[in-house]
Protein backbone atom coordinates (compact mmCIF):
# COMPACT_ATOMS: atom_id res chain seq x y z
CA UNK A 1 0.00 0.00 0.00
CA UNK A 2 2.93 2.33 0.66
CA UNK A 3 3.88 2.28 -3.01
CA UNK A 4 0.32 3.09 -4.03
CA UNK A 5 0.31 6.04 -1.63
CA UNK A 6 3.47 7.53 -3.05
CA UNK A 7 2.43 7.15 -6.65
CA UNK A 8 -1.08 8.54 -6.22
CA UNK A 9 -0.92 11.08 -3.40
CA UNK A 10 0.92 14.33 -2.97
CA UNK A 11 4.21 14.23 -1.09
CA UNK A 12 5.95 17.16 0.55
CA UNK A 13 9.17 16.96 -1.48
CA UNK A 14 10.40 15.61 -4.76
CA UNK A 15 14.21 15.46 -4.50
CA UNK A 16 16.31 15.15 -7.64
CA UNK A 17 19.66 13.56 -6.84
CA UNK A 18 20.76 11.22 -4.05
CA UNK A 19 24.41 12.09 -3.68
CA UNK A 20 25.68 13.74 -0.53
CA UNK A 21 23.47 16.84 -0.87
CA UNK A 22 20.34 14.86 -1.71
CA UNK A 23 20.86 12.40 1.15
CA UNK A 24 21.31 15.21 3.67
CA UNK A 25 18.17 17.02 2.56
CA UNK A 26 16.09 13.83 2.35
CA UNK A 27 17.08 12.80 5.86
CA UNK A 28 16.39 16.19 7.41
CA UNK A 29 13.01 16.21 5.68
CA UNK A 30 12.16 12.75 7.04
CA UNK A 31 13.32 13.75 10.53
CA UNK A 32 10.89 16.67 10.29
CA UNK A 33 7.99 14.34 9.47
CA UNK A 34 7.87 15.22 5.77
CA UNK A 35 7.12 12.81 2.95
CA UNK A 36 9.61 12.50 0.09
CA UNK A 37 10.27 10.88 -3.27
CA UNK A 38 13.84 10.84 -4.58
CA UNK A 39 14.96 10.56 -8.21
CA UNK A 40 18.40 9.20 -9.09
CA UNK A 41 20.01 8.18 -12.40
CA UNK A 42 23.63 7.59 -11.27
CA UNK A 43 24.95 10.10 -13.80
CA UNK A 44 27.05 12.17 -11.38
CA UNK A 45 29.65 10.10 -9.49
CA UNK A 46 31.41 12.88 -7.56
CA UNK A 47 29.96 11.83 -4.19
CA UNK A 48 30.84 8.21 -4.92
CA UNK A 49 34.52 8.87 -5.66
CA UNK A 50 35.19 11.77 -3.26
CA UNK A 51 37.98 11.60 -0.73
CA UNK A 52 35.44 12.37 2.00
CA UNK A 53 37.77 14.39 4.22
CA UNK A 54 36.31 16.79 6.72
CA UNK A 55 38.61 19.43 8.04
CA UNK A 56 37.74 22.80 9.62
CA UNK A 57 40.90 24.57 8.40
CA UNK A 58 42.32 25.62 5.03
CA UNK A 59 45.65 23.82 5.31
CA UNK A 60 47.33 25.57 2.43
CA UNK A 61 47.18 28.93 4.18
CA UNK A 62 46.32 27.89 7.76
CA UNK A 63 43.14 29.98 7.63
CA UNK A 64 39.60 29.54 8.90
CA UNK A 65 36.70 28.05 6.96
CA UNK A 66 33.43 29.94 6.72
CA UNK A 67 31.18 28.99 9.67
CA UNK A 68 33.36 25.97 10.46
CA UNK A 69 32.12 25.53 14.04
CA UNK A 70 28.45 25.76 13.03
CA UNK A 71 29.00 23.20 10.29
CA UNK A 72 30.78 20.82 12.68
CA UNK A 73 28.09 21.21 15.35
CA UNK A 74 25.40 20.04 12.93
CA UNK A 75 27.47 17.36 11.19
CA UNK A 76 28.66 15.84 14.49
CA UNK A 77 25.04 15.06 15.38
CA UNK A 78 23.71 14.30 11.89
CA UNK A 79 26.16 11.63 10.75
CA UNK A 80 26.22 9.48 13.93
CA UNK A 81 22.43 9.58 14.01
CA UNK A 82 22.29 8.45 10.39
CA UNK A 83 24.81 5.68 11.08
CA UNK A 84 22.60 4.40 13.87
CA UNK A 85 19.51 4.58 11.68
CA UNK A 86 21.12 2.66 8.81
CA UNK A 87 23.09 0.25 10.99
CA UNK A 88 26.36 1.01 9.19
CA UNK A 89 29.58 2.84 10.07
CA UNK A 90 30.81 5.42 7.59
CA UNK A 91 32.16 8.24 9.80
CA UNK A 92 35.79 7.80 10.85
CA UNK A 93 37.12 10.61 13.05
CA UNK A 94 40.93 10.84 12.95
CA UNK A 95 43.55 13.58 13.12
CA UNK A 96 44.92 15.21 10.00
CA UNK A 97 48.67 15.80 10.21
CA UNK A 98 49.93 18.65 8.05
CA UNK A 99 53.54 17.98 7.12
CA UNK A 100 55.72 21.07 7.47
CA UNK A 101 58.19 21.83 4.71
CA UNK A 102 60.17 24.50 6.56
CA UNK A 103 60.70 26.41 9.79
CA UNK A 104 58.66 29.21 8.23
CA UNK A 105 55.65 26.90 7.96
CA UNK A 106 56.08 25.94 11.62
CA UNK A 107 56.02 29.61 12.58
CA UNK A 108 52.94 30.25 10.45
CA UNK A 109 51.24 27.36 12.25
CA UNK A 110 52.04 28.88 15.66
CA UNK A 111 50.53 32.18 14.55
CA UNK A 112 47.38 30.48 13.21
CA UNK A 113 46.93 28.32 16.32
CA UNK A 114 46.89 31.47 18.43
CA UNK A 115 43.96 33.01 16.55
CA UNK A 116 40.62 32.82 18.42
CA UNK A 117 38.71 31.30 15.48
CA UNK A 118 41.37 28.64 14.84
CA UNK A 119 42.63 27.73 18.30
CA UNK A 120 39.92 25.08 18.80
CA UNK A 121 41.01 23.27 15.64
CA UNK A 122 44.83 23.38 15.75
CA UNK A 123 47.18 21.69 18.20
CA UNK A 124 49.72 24.46 18.90
CA UNK A 125 52.62 22.01 19.29
CA UNK A 126 54.82 20.71 16.49
CA UNK A 127 54.57 16.92 16.53
CA UNK A 128 57.46 14.64 15.56
CA UNK A 129 56.22 11.17 14.64
CA UNK A 130 58.87 8.63 13.79
CA UNK A 131 57.21 7.15 10.71
CA UNK A 132 59.50 4.68 8.94
CA UNK A 133 58.29 5.59 5.47
CA UNK A 134 57.01 9.15 5.80
CA UNK A 135 59.98 11.34 6.69
CA UNK A 136 59.17 14.78 8.13
CA UNK A 137 62.27 16.58 9.42
CA UNK A 138 60.24 19.70 10.31
CA UNK A 139 57.44 17.70 11.94
CA UNK A 140 53.67 17.91 11.65
CA UNK A 141 50.83 20.16 12.73
CA UNK A 142 47.76 18.33 14.06
CA UNK A 143 44.25 19.33 13.00
CA UNK A 144 41.56 18.49 15.53
CA UNK A 145 37.87 17.62 14.87
CA UNK A 146 38.80 16.07 11.54
CA UNK A 147 38.42 12.72 9.79
CA UNK A 148 36.80 11.20 6.76
CA UNK A 149 33.41 9.97 5.66
CA UNK A 150 32.99 6.88 3.49
CA UNK A 151 30.53 8.77 1.31
CA UNK A 152 29.99 5.88 -1.08
CA UNK A 153 28.98 3.57 1.77
CA UNK A 154 26.66 6.19 3.22
CA UNK A 155 25.00 7.02 -0.11
CA UNK A 156 24.51 3.40 -1.18
CA UNK A 157 23.13 2.42 2.24
CA UNK A 158 20.75 5.36 2.20
CA UNK A 159 19.56 4.55 -1.32
CA UNK A 160 18.81 1.02 -0.16
CA UNK A 161 16.86 2.45 2.77
CA UNK A 162 14.84 4.63 0.38
CA UNK A 163 14.32 1.77 -2.06
CA UNK A 164 12.95 -0.55 0.64
CA UNK A 165 10.33 2.08 1.48
CA UNK A 166 9.55 2.88 -2.17
CA UNK A 167 10.85 6.41 -1.74
CA UNK A 168 13.36 6.03 -4.61
CA UNK A 169 12.83 6.22 -8.36
CA UNK A 170 15.79 5.13 -10.51
CA UNK A 171 15.24 7.24 -13.60
CA UNK A 172 16.64 10.28 -15.36
CA UNK A 173 14.66 13.40 -14.56
CA UNK A 174 12.93 14.93 -17.59
CA UNK A 175 12.83 18.65 -16.84
CA UNK A 176 10.30 19.37 -19.57
CA UNK A 177 7.83 17.05 -17.83
CA UNK A 178 7.77 19.21 -14.70
CA UNK A 179 4.63 21.35 -14.34
CA UNK A 180 4.65 24.13 -11.77
CA UNK A 181 1.48 25.42 -10.14
CA UNK A 182 1.06 27.98 -7.39
CA UNK A 183 0.42 25.39 -4.68
CA UNK A 184 2.26 22.31 -5.96
CA UNK A 185 4.39 20.80 -8.71
CA UNK A 186 3.52 17.86 -10.95
CA UNK A 187 5.97 15.44 -12.52
CA UNK A 188 4.47 12.64 -14.59
CA UNK A 189 2.22 10.77 -12.13
CA UNK A 190 3.75 12.45 -9.05
CA UNK A 191 2.70 15.58 -7.18
CA UNK A 192 4.54 17.45 -4.44
CA UNK A 193 4.36 20.68 -2.52
CA UNK A 194 8.01 21.39 -3.37
CA UNK A 195 10.84 20.13 -5.54
CA UNK A 196 14.51 20.32 -4.55
CA UNK A 197 17.23 19.88 -7.15
CA UNK A 198 20.42 18.39 -5.69
CA UNK A 199 22.00 16.93 -8.81
CA UNK A 200 25.55 18.26 -8.50
CA UNK A 201 27.32 18.93 -11.78
CA UNK A 202 24.16 17.69 -13.53
CA UNK A 203 22.80 21.19 -12.87
CA UNK A 204 24.04 22.12 -16.33
CA UNK A 205 21.15 20.11 -17.79
CA UNK A 206 18.62 21.80 -15.51
CA UNK A 207 16.69 24.47 -17.42
CA UNK A 208 15.52 26.12 -14.18
CA UNK A 209 18.97 26.80 -12.74
CA UNK A 210 21.58 26.26 -15.45
CA UNK A 211 22.15 30.00 -15.78
CA UNK A 212 23.84 29.97 -12.36
CA UNK A 213 27.67 29.87 -12.39
CA UNK A 214 28.28 26.27 -11.37
CA UNK A 215 31.76 25.73 -12.70
CA UNK A 216 32.83 22.20 -11.78
CA UNK A 217 36.32 21.05 -10.84
CA UNK A 218 37.48 17.61 -11.84
CA UNK A 219 39.23 15.62 -9.15
CA UNK A 220 41.14 12.35 -9.43
CA UNK A 221 42.32 10.05 -6.67
CA UNK A 222 44.04 6.71 -6.24
CA UNK A 223 43.64 3.74 -3.97
CA UNK A 224 47.01 2.17 -3.17
CA UNK A 225 48.02 -0.91 -1.20
CA UNK A 226 51.03 -0.22 1.03
CA UNK A 227 51.55 -2.95 3.68
CA UNK A 228 54.66 -1.30 5.16
CA UNK A 229 53.18 2.15 5.63
CA UNK A 230 51.20 1.47 8.83
CA UNK A 231 49.58 4.92 9.10
CA UNK A 232 46.72 5.58 11.53
CA UNK A 233 46.38 9.29 10.77
CA UNK A 234 45.63 11.27 7.63
CA UNK A 235 48.79 12.90 6.28
CA UNK A 236 48.51 16.07 4.20
CA UNK A 237 51.32 17.56 2.13
CA UNK A 238 51.19 18.01 -1.66
CA UNK A 239 48.49 15.31 -1.54
CA UNK A 240 46.61 13.64 1.27
CA UNK A 241 47.09 10.00 2.14
CA UNK A 242 44.23 8.48 4.10
CA UNK A 243 44.13 4.99 5.69
CA UNK A 244 40.88 3.18 4.94
CA UNK A 245 41.82 -0.25 6.32
CA UNK A 246 43.30 -3.53 5.10
CA UNK A 247 46.55 -1.78 4.09
CA UNK A 248 44.62 0.36 1.58
CA UNK A 249 45.05 4.14 1.39
CA UNK A 250 43.29 6.88 -0.54
CA UNK A 251 45.60 9.35 -2.23
CA UNK A 252 44.27 12.61 -3.61
CA UNK A 253 43.40 14.84 -5.08
CA UNK A 254 43.90 16.72 -8.32
CA UNK A 255 42.15 19.92 -9.41
CA UNK A 256 41.38 20.35 -13.09
CA UNK A 257 39.20 23.32 -14.10
CA UNK A 258 38.99 22.58 -17.84
CA UNK A 259 38.21 18.85 -18.13
CA UNK A 260 34.55 18.24 -17.22
CA UNK A 261 34.52 14.46 -17.79
CA UNK A 262 34.42 11.69 -15.19
CA UNK A 263 37.20 9.73 -16.89
CA UNK A 264 40.51 9.10 -15.08
CA UNK A 265 43.50 10.48 -16.99
CA UNK A 266 47.14 9.54 -17.38
CA UNK A 267 48.11 13.11 -16.46
CA UNK A 268 46.08 13.01 -13.26
CA UNK A 269 47.62 9.70 -12.21
CA UNK A 270 51.14 10.94 -12.91
CA UNK A 271 50.56 14.09 -10.88
CA UNK A 272 49.30 12.10 -7.89
CA UNK A 273 52.16 9.60 -8.07
CA UNK A 274 54.77 12.33 -8.30
CA UNK A 275 53.46 14.03 -5.15
CA UNK A 276 52.96 10.70 -3.37
CA UNK A 277 56.58 9.72 -4.04
CA UNK A 278 57.67 12.98 -2.40
CA UNK A 279 55.68 12.03 0.69
CA UNK A 280 56.37 8.32 1.28
CA UNK A 281 59.35 6.06 0.65
CA UNK A 282 57.92 2.52 0.86
CA UNK A 283 56.76 0.21 -1.90
CA UNK A 284 53.11 0.38 -2.92
CA UNK A 285 50.70 -0.85 -5.57
CA UNK A 286 48.02 1.23 -7.29
CA UNK A 287 44.78 -0.75 -7.07
CA UNK A 288 42.23 1.80 -8.32
CA UNK A 289 42.10 5.15 -10.12
CA UNK A 290 38.91 7.23 -9.88
CA UNK A 291 37.65 10.59 -11.15
CA UNK A 292 34.62 12.85 -10.77
CA UNK A 293 33.60 16.46 -11.27
CA UNK A 294 33.01 18.35 -8.05
CA UNK A 295 30.15 20.89 -8.11
CA UNK A 296 32.16 24.05 -7.45
CA UNK A 297 31.26 27.72 -7.83
CA UNK A 298 33.54 30.55 -8.91
CA UNK A 299 32.93 32.59 -5.75
CA UNK A 300 33.63 29.48 -3.61
CA UNK A 301 30.19 29.59 -2.02
CA UNK A 302 27.36 27.04 -2.43
CA UNK A 303 24.21 27.59 -4.47
CA UNK A 304 21.19 27.30 -2.17
CA UNK A 305 17.74 28.79 -2.28
CA UNK A 306 14.47 29.24 -4.13
CA UNK A 307 13.93 30.03 -7.80
CA UNK A 308 13.34 33.73 -8.43
CA UNK A 309 10.08 32.97 -10.28
CA UNK A 310 8.72 29.81 -8.59
CA UNK A 311 8.36 29.65 -4.81
CA UNK A 312 8.17 25.85 -4.73
CA UNK A 313 11.29 25.12 -6.83
CA UNK A 314 14.52 24.98 -4.85
CA UNK A 315 18.23 24.33 -5.26
CA UNK A 316 20.88 22.64 -3.09
CA UNK A 317 24.18 22.56 -4.95
CA UNK A 318 27.76 23.78 -5.12
CA UNK A 319 29.08 21.83 -2.12
CA UNK A 320 32.48 21.71 -3.80
CA UNK A 321 35.49 20.25 -2.02
CA UNK A 322 34.07 20.56 1.50
CA UNK A 323 30.76 18.80 1.05
CA UNK A 324 31.02 16.55 4.12
CA UNK A 325 30.90 19.53 6.46
CA UNK A 326 28.66 21.69 4.30
CA UNK A 327 26.04 19.08 3.41
CA UNK A 328 24.11 18.85 6.71
CA UNK A 329 24.47 22.59 7.40
CA UNK A 330 23.09 23.57 3.98
CA UNK A 331 20.33 20.96 3.94
CA UNK A 332 19.05 22.03 7.32
CA UNK A 333 19.27 25.70 6.32
CA UNK A 334 17.27 25.11 3.14
CA UNK A 335 14.58 23.05 4.89
CA UNK A 336 14.12 25.70 7.56
CA UNK A 337 14.04 28.37 4.88
CA UNK A 338 11.21 26.56 3.09
CA UNK A 339 9.22 25.39 6.09
CA UNK A 340 9.76 28.22 8.58
CA UNK A 341 10.66 31.14 6.34
CA UNK A 342 14.05 31.56 8.00
CA UNK A 343 16.45 33.60 5.87
CA UNK A 344 19.42 31.93 4.22
CA UNK A 345 22.89 33.32 4.77
CA UNK A 346 23.52 35.82 1.99
CA UNK A 347 26.84 34.12 1.20
CA UNK A 348 25.06 30.94 0.02
CA UNK A 349 21.71 32.30 -1.19
CA UNK A 350 21.31 32.16 -4.98
CA UNK A 351 19.62 35.55 -4.70
CA UNK A 352 23.13 37.01 -4.84
CA UNK A 353 23.16 36.18 -8.55
CA UNK A 354 19.57 37.15 -9.24
CA UNK A 355 20.23 40.57 -7.71
CA UNK A 356 23.31 41.07 -9.86
CA UNK A 357 21.29 40.15 -12.90
CA UNK A 358 18.52 42.59 -11.99
CA UNK A 359 21.04 45.44 -11.58
CA UNK A 360 22.61 44.75 -14.95
Amino acid sequence: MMGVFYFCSMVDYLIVGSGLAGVCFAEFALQSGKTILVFENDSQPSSMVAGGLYNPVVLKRFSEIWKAQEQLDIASVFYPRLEQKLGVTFDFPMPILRKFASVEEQNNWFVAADKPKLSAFLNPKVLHYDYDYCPAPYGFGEVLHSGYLDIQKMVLSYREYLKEREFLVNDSFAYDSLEINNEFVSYKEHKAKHIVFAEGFGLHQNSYFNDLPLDGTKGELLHIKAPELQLKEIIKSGVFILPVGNEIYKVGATYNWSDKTNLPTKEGKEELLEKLNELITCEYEVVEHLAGVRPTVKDRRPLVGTHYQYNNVHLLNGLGTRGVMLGPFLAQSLLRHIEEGLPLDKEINIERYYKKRAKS
Side-chain angles (χ1 to χ4, degrees):
M1 292 300 293
M2 187 177 292
V4 174
F5 172 81
Y6 274 90
F7 279 86
C8 297
S9 300
M10 185 181 297
V11 297
D12 292 305
Y13 289 96
L14 299 182
I15 303 168
V16 182
S18 66
L20 180 59
V23 166
C24 289
F25 188 86
E27 180 58 18
F28 272 116
L30 289 177
Q31 289 178 12
S32 298
K34 304 301 177 182
T35 51
I36 65 171
L37 190 64
V38 180
F39 293 83
E40 177 57 56
N41 67 355
D42 299 308
S43 65
Q44 301 301 320
S46 63
S47 288
M48 307 298 278
V49 304
L53 288 180
Y54 54 92
N55 163 27
V57 182
V58 179
L59 286 177
K60 189 174 183 178
R61 299 182 295 275
F62 306 154
S63 55
E64 63 187 88
I65 289 174
W66 177 76
K67 291 188 178 291
Q69 190 61 60
E70 289 183 48
Q71 293 178 35
L72 281 174
D73 288 344
I74 296 171
S76 64
V77 174
F78 177 80
Y79 290 125
R81 182 173 177 177
L82 188 55
E83 284 182 316
Q84 186 175 19
K85 176 175 181 172
L86 299 176
V88 297
T89 300
F90 51 76
D91 183 9
F92 300 93
M94 65 176 66
I96 295 176
L97 301 181
R98 169 60 154 81
K99 179 182 173 181
F100 296 135
S102 64
V103 173
E104 182 184 6
E105 282 199 338
Q106 291 179 343
N107 291 333
N108 291 339
W109 183 270
F110 294 143
V111 172
D114 200 39
K115 294 180 179 179
K117 291 187 178 181
L118 290 174
S119 60
F121 307 132
L122 302 180
N123 183 341
K125 299 179 181 179
V126 173
L127 304 180
H128 292 277
Y129 286 101
D130 189 20
Y131 294 122
D132 291 335
Y133 301 100
C134 187
Y138 297 100
F140 300 92
E142 181 185 20
V143 183
L144 309 174
H145 308 292
S146 57
Y148 83 95
L149 211 69
D150 187 335
I151 301 178
Q152 182 180 39
K153 187 175 183 180
M154 181 190 78
V155 166
L156 292 178
S157 298
Y158 199 76
R159 287 179 185 175
E160 194 60 33
Y161 167 84
L162 294 174
K163 185 178 178 181
E164 289 173 356
R165 288 153 182 79
E166 300 187 33
F167 297 169
L168 183 68
V169 178
N170 285 109
D171 194 14
S172 295
F173 192 85
Y175 300 98
D176 57 0
S177 295
L178 180 65
E179 297 181 10
I180 303 170
N181 302 284
N182 290 333
E183 302 298 326
F184 63 92
V185 299
S186 297
Y187 178 73
K188 298 182 178 179
E189 67 268 38
H190 311 291
K191 290 185 178 181
K193 296 176 182 176
H194 299 273
I195 185 166
V196 174
F197 290 104
E199 70 263 71
F201 193 64
L203 179 76
H204 287 279
Q205 309 302 318
N206 185 329
S207 54
Y208 295 94
F209 293 109
N210 61 7
D211 56 341
L212 293 172
L214 186 77
D215 189 21
T217 307
K218 181 174 182 174
E220 300 185 48
L221 59 81
L222 304 174
H223 286 160
I224 65 167
K225 187 176 180 67
E228 296 176 300
L229 197 52
Q230 300 290 306
L231 291 180
K232 295 182 179 179
E233 298 86 10
I234 301 165
I235 305 293
K236 179 72 171 71
S237 184
V239 290
F240 67 77
I241 181 164
L242 185 163
V244 296
N246 298 320
E247 302 174 342
I248 301 296
Y249 299 83
K250 282 186 180 182
V251 178
T254 63
Y255 295 85
N256 188 319
W257 289 269
S258 58
D259 183 358
K260 308 300 183 184
T261 72
N262 295 313
L263 301 174
T265 66
K266 178 183 177 182
E267 294 77 15
K269 183 177 182 179
E270 290 176 348
E271 178 185 339
L272 290 171
L273 291 178
E274 180 181 351
K275 292 179 179 178
L276 176 63
N277 291 335
E278 294 173 356
L279 182 57
I280 65 173
T281 59
C282 63
E283 297 290 325
Y284 62 85
E285 173 192 0
V286 177
V287 296
E288 194 170 19
H289 181 193
L290 302 168
V293 180
R294 311 174 186 91
T296 55
V297 186
K298 291 181 179 179
D299 68 0
R300 298 178 181 270
R301 289 287 183 262
L303 299 171
V304 184
T306 300
H307 194 276
Y308 69 95
Q309 189 176 357
Y310 307 113
N311 63 5
N312 46 16
V313 178
H314 314 279
L315 184 64
L316 179 58
N317 209 314
L319 275 63
T321 61
R322 299 190 178 275
V324 173
M325 284 179 56
L326 277 170
F329 173 82
L330 298 177
Q332 185 183 75
S333 296
L334 180 58
L335 184 67
R336 288 179 171 176
H337 173 67
I338 297 169
E339 294 294 335
E340 303 171 39
L342 297 181
L344 293 167
D345 285 285
K346 62 181 181 180
E347 293 93 341
I348 66 173
N349 198 331
I350 54 177
E351 281 189 357
R352 67 191 189 271
Y353 291 108
Y354 295 148
K355 288 179 179 178
K356 288 179 183 177
R357 187 184 306 154
K359 289 180 181 179
S360 61

